[in-house]
Amino acid sequence: MTQAAPKKLTALVAAPESGTEPHARALTQLWVLVGRGVGGIVRNGEFIFAFVAPVLLAVCFYLPLRSIMDSDPGMDYAQFLMPIIALQSVGFVASAAAMRAANDATKGVHTRFRTLPMRSWVPVSARLGTNGLLLTLSIMCATATSLVMGWRPHGSVAETIGLFAVALVVGLLIAAVADAIGLLSDSPEATSQALSLPILILGMMSTGFVPESQFPEWIAPFVRNQPISQFATSMRALGDGSATREILMPTVWWCIGLAAAAVVLGVFGARKAAR
């Protein structure tokens, strides 16, 4: 960030029009900070990664495994693979949230915000809004890639909406956890790598790319019950119209767990930023 950028940002958020109500001023500050965040991800090329990530996943997994997987009776690999393409795409995007938060922390941006007449929820909401925009774009790109592969939704309109809602909610929750970890970290690069690796490993050790039957028996329970597998199972059920309460409830519980982790880590991150 250049020297002129912080001064301009400070002027925008600290000097609203005279007579502006506090609520309206907070919304103006939120809008300015979301614009700042979007400008940053454009300059950093994160929008490009949102396009490229699902394509790379399709090339690396769908093309080499399609003929093998489609040989199984009843298997349509494009239908099977779509959830993990969406989940891995939003996971990679969400992990970048940690690096942005850590970057701001190391550059003193959070310290500057604390000196301004700004409500504490504004920067957090702005980062969440920025992540939400990028996650939405990532899901759109993953969907387009899946459609090219041959995926088609077979559930009702409500179930199809639910499929994308699961991907977006999971992405937002991972982004919230990553953002809080970024506030706690002193190294943006190390933080991003530390988050990307678990997401990648969980994705590979899930039922996202291959069925549970393809894993050794000793690791099958972990593969079946870990969050990425549960998210993928719920999305497949919503996509083919077979969703039931029993199928969806593990995803709900994992989302509640991620939300709790985001809140706890966010509190610790806010305390560290306030020092």
Side-chain angles (χ1 to χ4, degrees):
M1 186 185 296
T2 63
Q3 291 296 322
K7 293 180 180 178
K8 182 179 180 181
L9 179 62
T10 301
L12 286 169
V13 299
E17 296 178 7
S18 59
T20 300
E21 294 295 328
H23 182 67
R25 181 175 66 186
L27 291 179
T28 301
Q29 293 170 338
L30 177 62
W31 178 255
V32 171
L33 292 182
V34 170
R36 168 186 175 267
V38 171
I41 61 180
V42 170
R43 288 191 299 272
N44 295 336
E46 291 180 51
F47 272 115
I48 297 175
F49 187 73
F51 282 101
V52 172
V55 175
L56 288 177
L57 286 169
V59 170
C60 291
F61 292 95
Y62 179 70
L63 291 181
L65 295 178
R66 177 185 58 179
S67 59
I68 299 174
M69 300 301 294
D70 283 347
S71 64
D72 281 356
M75 169 66 78
D76 183 336
Y77 198 47
Q79 297 292 127
F80 186 87
L81 198 61
M82 183 273 177
I84 195 64
I85 288 180
L87 290 170
Q88 287 291 91
S89 297
V90 299
F92 290 146
V93 168
S95 68
M99 190 166 70
R100 289 196 300 273
N103 248 327
D104 283 352
T106 56
K107 292 179 179 178
V109 174
H110 300 309
T111 302
R112 182 183 293 274
F113 285 163
R114 291 200 307 275
T115 66
L116 303 176
M118 180 188 297
R119 299 189 180 189
S120 58
W121 59 265
V122 172
V124 177
S125 300
R127 294 195 299 273
L128 188 62
T130 302
N131 293 329
L133 290 173
L134 191 57
L135 287 167
T136 300
L137 177 63
S138 179
I139 291 172
M140 292 171 62
C141 297
T143 303
T145 301
S146 299
L147 288 170
V148 171
M149 290 190 313
W151 171 81
R152 297 294 184 271
H154 298 300
S156 66
V157 173
E159 287 173 320
T160 302
I161 293 173
L163 182 155
F164 293 114
V166 169
L168 181 60
V169 169
V170 169
L172 287 172
L173 289 173
I174 295 175
V177 171
D179 182 81
I181 292 174
L183 292 177
L184 291 167
S185 174
D186 296 321
S187 171
E189 293 78 11
T191 302
S192 179
Q193 293 172 4
L195 283 169
S196 297
L197 190 59
I199 290 173
L200 181 62
I201 292 174
L202 284 176
M204 297 298 296
M205 298 295 294
S206 75
T207 57
F209 294 107
V210 295
E212 180 189 338
S213 59
Q214 300 297 314
F215 289 90
E217 276 189 34
W218 62 271
I219 202 172
F222 169 79
V223 170
R224 178 176 61 251
N225 295 301
Q226 60 114 322
I228 300 298
S229 293
Q230 293 296 333
F231 299 151
T233 298
S234 293
M235 290 175 67
R236 286 194 197 102
L238 290 165
D240 63 22
S242 64
T244 63
R245 185 177 183 275
E246 289 72 21
I247 291 175
L248 298 179
M249 280 310 297
T251 290
V252 173
W253 287 117
W254 275 114
C255 286
I256 291 173
L258 283 173
V263 170
V264 172
L265 291 172
V267 170
F268 284 112
R271 288 180 178 176
K272 180 182 178 184
R275 292 174 188 170

